Amino acid sequence: EFRRVLFRSELEDAQNNLDVYKQINDAIDIAEDESYTICEYCGEEGKLQKKGWWKTLCIMHQHSLDK
């Protein structure tokens, strides 16, 4: 299991305006990339690591799972 937010959208109307289409796709790319840096338990800054499954964890939750 990978801990990454993925977005899919239908942008037919936006394709007529390439600037809007690019802005939307850029925002989606940023959100997907940042999902690798947010703890899946509390939303604090985290780091992707393999704990059985891949998980993105902050320091506190990393230590609590190590116990």
Side-chain angles (χ1 to χ4, degrees):
E1 182 173 343
F2 292 98
R3 297 295 179 176
R4 182 177 186 191
V5 173
L6 295 175
F7 291 93
R8 298 291 177 249
S9 61
E10 294 184 24
L11 301 171
E12 290 178 20
D13 291 335
Q15 287 179 353
N16 294 329
N17 185 333
L18 293 178
D19 288 336
V20 171
Y21 183 79
K22 184 175 177 349
Q23 289 174 1
I24 292 170
N25 278 312
D26 288 349
I28 289 171
D29 290 342
I30 290 168
E32 289 177 347
D33 291 344
E34 286 182 356
S35 71
Y36 280 125
T37 65
I38 299 170
C39 178
E40 61 190 67
Y41 292 103
C42 66
E44 293 294 321
E45 183 178 341
K47 183 176 162 185
L48 185 66
Q49 46 204 292
K50 188 157 174 67
K51 299 280 184 184
W53 293 102
W54 283 98
K55 295 183 173 289
T56 304
L57 302 170
C58 66
I59 292 172
M60 182 180 75
H61 286 108
Q62 176 184 349
H63 292 305
S64 69
L65 289 176
D66 286 341
K67 291 181 181 179

